Amino acid sequence: MRQGSLQVLLWQRALAPHSGRWSLPGGRLCADEDVEASIRRQLAEKVDVRQLAHVEQLAVFSAPDRVPGERVVATAFLGLVPCDNDPELPNDTSWYPVEALPDTAFDHEAIVLRARNRLRAKLSYTNLGFALAAPEFTVSALRELYSAALGYRVSATNLQRVLSRRGLLEPTGHTAPPGPSGGRPAALFRFTAGGILVTDPFAVLRPPGSARA
Amino acid sequence: MRQGSLQVLLWQRALAPHSGRWSLPGGRLCADEDVEASIRRQLAEKVDVRQLAHVEQLAVFSAPDRVPGERVVATAFLGLVPCDNDPELPNDTSWYPVEALPDTAFDHEAIVLRARNRLRAKLSYTNLGFALAAPEFTVSALRELYSAALGYRVSATNLQRVLSRRGLLEPTGHTAPPGPSGGRPAALFRFTAGGILVTDPFAVLRPPGSARA
DNA sequence: CCACGTTTTCGATTCTAAGGCGAAAACCTC
DNA sequence: GAGGTTTTCGCCTTAGAATCGAAAACGTGG
């Protein structure tokens, strides 16, 4: 989340093929690492994004002609950077809004769209939002974050109650200063610890008599 | 679904490493195919499972030591065989209940468990069940299928209503003959066409005033 | 310092959809 | 035709999300 919109970190290719186009960070898998270790290493090498709040496998992209001249199979990952973490970026690296991508290399546009869809889906049934938010946040800020990521406006009232009911949200006791035009100071919240929690993947067709603790 | 339980197709390895153990069907990726084409080819070569009702990527397994002596990165797939399709099996191939796997090779047990979890999750919020069911089925048969796959008993009444409400189920007009002990003849249903439909991945936090068409 | 606009928060109500129960329907066998 | 079996359907309950509006807590400007 950057400047009110969902953005993706791209870097401009210097070498052929597709030199000059923008691509997702990545690189080759080494002998002593699995794919997740590899993508974390690639990110740490090229940009200062060592604290990814969340990393998960997205999909394998393996069309034989996806990279001209060479057979390359890519395992795509979805990684989330908290909005309060603004890493130093090299010149050839930049954030781009997911809805307005530049000229991308290979099949990376398709990968980005897939990642966006995965994020949208998971936002609603997990607490994945915590990976995008700052450690402490107001409900309004969280609402803007969800709205931008989901692509439609969500109700702040409902967002707070849904997340609270699920036990994902807890008040910190602090309050944020009101804006320049006044207004009641907003209470600050944080997500409860415990990593990604799937709210209820089997939401429907539950076992009988399981009134959901 | 075989004999009332969720089963997985395994074949017994003839060569080292792990000779004699049971493994998931698979093989090497060729130059002119993507991973999905590859897994379909592997299945068609080794067993008569050409009509998979559903195939989807599961995850990449890439621990450096997952296969001794050689670096092998595997893209695991989840494929579903309808319960009315009983393919001819070679001698070294067999169905095994997911809950009672034999001695498996490599990390294949973990892969199977991951696949089972994915199936369970998707059964509740997609119409993926159609890929396990016969073209026409009774609600009772569908209930048994869901119960076995999910691992707990579901109510036939509720199952029918939930699926119908979502527009995933439609009556064929035919009826199945009653069992040997009598009983009202069951109506036959089919899943509505249209491939896999995600019921509502954004189930919560919907756009305002969207009462779900 | 007091009325007014602003923003957040909280409670009450409505609405949707799943869960549960029992009666009725449609078949068998004896 | 009586009794047992299985399926089907309607009604009711319950949970949780959506909506609405009032109250709280702050600024600003007269």
Side-chain angles (χ1 to χ4, degrees):
Chain A
M1 294 294 316
R2 296 289 180 281
Q3 292 142 18
S5 75
L6 187 66
Q7 307 209 350
V8 60
L9 188 64
L10 298 177
W11 68 281
Q12 199 166 23
R13 289 181 60 82
L15 304 174
H18 290 186
S19 118
R21 295 199 191 173
W22 293 84
S23 74
L24 294 166
R28 296 184 186 275
L29 176 67
C30 290
D32 60 344
E33 61 185 7
D34 63 14
V35 287
E36 180 169 335
S38 180
I39 193 60
R40 288 183 185 272
R41 175 178 58 79
Q42 308 282 350
L43 278 177
E45 279 179 5
K46 286 175 180 136
V47 293
D48 180 22
V49 189
R50 295 191 193 92
Q51 296 179 339
L52 290 171
H54 176 69
V55 172
E56 72 176 52
Q57 267 194 39
L58 191 59
V60 170
F61 291 79
S62 61
D65 58 349
R66 63 180 288 277
V67 172
E70 188 186 14
R71 184 64 195 274
V72 179
V73 173
T75 302
F77 275 79
L78 168 65
L80 300 180
V81 182
C83 60
D84 64 328
N85 179 359
D86 225 332
E88 194 90 11
L89 297 184
N91 281 342
D92 58 354
T93 306
S94 174
W95 293 102
Y96 276 101
V98 170
E99 309 297 341
L101 292 179
D103 199 23
T104 51
F106 314 126
D107 50 3
H108 288 192
E109 180 169 353
I111 296 178
V112 170
L113 288 184
R114 187 84 76 90
R116 188 203 60 177
N117 292 342
R118 170 81 64 95
L119 174 63
R120 287 186 174 176
K122 282 211 165 182
L123 271 183
S124 80
Y125 67 94
T126 69
N127 62 350
L128 199 55
F130 96 92
L132 289 173
E136 290 195 356
F137 48 84
T138 66
V139 173
S140 296
L142 196 65
R143 189 193 72 81
E144 291 172 14
L145 191 156
Y146 271 76
S147 294
L150 290 174
Y152 52 77
R153 299 181 67 78
V154 303
S155 147
T157 297
N158 210 30
L159 180 64
Q160 166 167 8
R161 217 171 2 135
V162 167
L163 294 181
S164 295
R165 170 183 294 271
R166 295 180 184 170
L168 303 181
L169 213 58
E170 66 184 11
T172 66
H174 312 147
T175 60
S181 61
R184 174 170 173 168
L188 286 171
F189 292 84
R190 62 169 158 259
F191 277 100
T192 52
I196 302 297
L197 298 177
V198 174
T199 304
D200 200 337
F202 317 48
V204 211
L205 304 174
R206 276 176 239 152
S210 70
R212 196 182 294 199
Chain B
M1 294 296 314
R2 297 288 181 282
Q3 292 143 17
S5 76
L6 187 65
Q7 308 210 347
V8 60
L9 189 63
L10 298 177
W11 68 279
Q12 201 167 19
R13 290 181 59 82
L15 305 176
H18 290 187
S19 115
R21 294 197 192 174
W22 294 84
S23 74
L24 293 165
R28 298 184 184 277
L29 177 67
C30 290
D32 61 343
E33 60 185 6
D34 63 13
V35 285
E36 179 169 334
S38 181
I39 193 60
R40 288 182 184 274
R41 176 178 57 78
Q42 308 282 350
L43 279 177
E45 278 179 3
K46 285 174 183 138
V47 293
D48 180 24
V49 188
R50 296 193 193 90
Q51 297 180 338
L52 290 171
H54 176 68
V55 171
E56 74 176 50
Q57 268 194 39
L58 191 59
V60 170
F61 291 79
S62 62
D65 58 349
R66 61 181 291 275
V67 172
E70 187 187 15
R71 184 66 196 272
V72 179
V73 173
T75 303
F77 275 79
L78 168 64
L80 301 181
V81 181
C83 61
D84 65 327
N85 179 359
D86 224 331
E88 194 90 14
L89 297 185
N91 281 341
D92 59 353
T93 307
S94 174
W95 293 101
Y96 275 100
V98 169
E99 309 296 342
L101 292 179
D103 200 25
T104 51
F106 313 125
D107 50 3
H108 287 192
E109 180 168 355
I111 296 179
V112 170
L113 288 185
R114 187 86 77 91
R116 189 203 59 176
N117 292 343
R118 170 81 65 94
L119 174 62
R120 285 186 176 177
K122 281 211 164 183
L123 272 184
S124 80
Y125 65 94
T126 68
N127 62 352
L128 199 56
F130 97 90
L132 289 173
E136 291 195 355
F137 49 84
T138 67
V139 172
S140 297
L142 196 65
R143 189 194 72 81
E144 291 173 13
L145 190 155
Y146 272 77
S147 293
L150 290 174
Y152 51 76
R153 299 182 66 80
V154 303
S155 146
T157 298
N158 211 30
L159 180 64
Q160 166 167 7
R161 227 186 356 190
V162 167
L163 294 180
S164 296
R165 171 185 293 269
R166 294 180 182 169
L168 303 181
L169 213 57
E170 65 184 12
T172 65
H174 311 148
T175 61
S181 62
R184 176 170 170 168
L188 286 171
F189 292 83
R190 61 170 158 255
F191 277 100
T192 51
I196 303 296
L197 298 177
V198 175
T199 304
D200 201 335
F202 315 20
V204 211
L205 305 175
R206 279 178 234 148
S210 70
R212 196 185 293 198

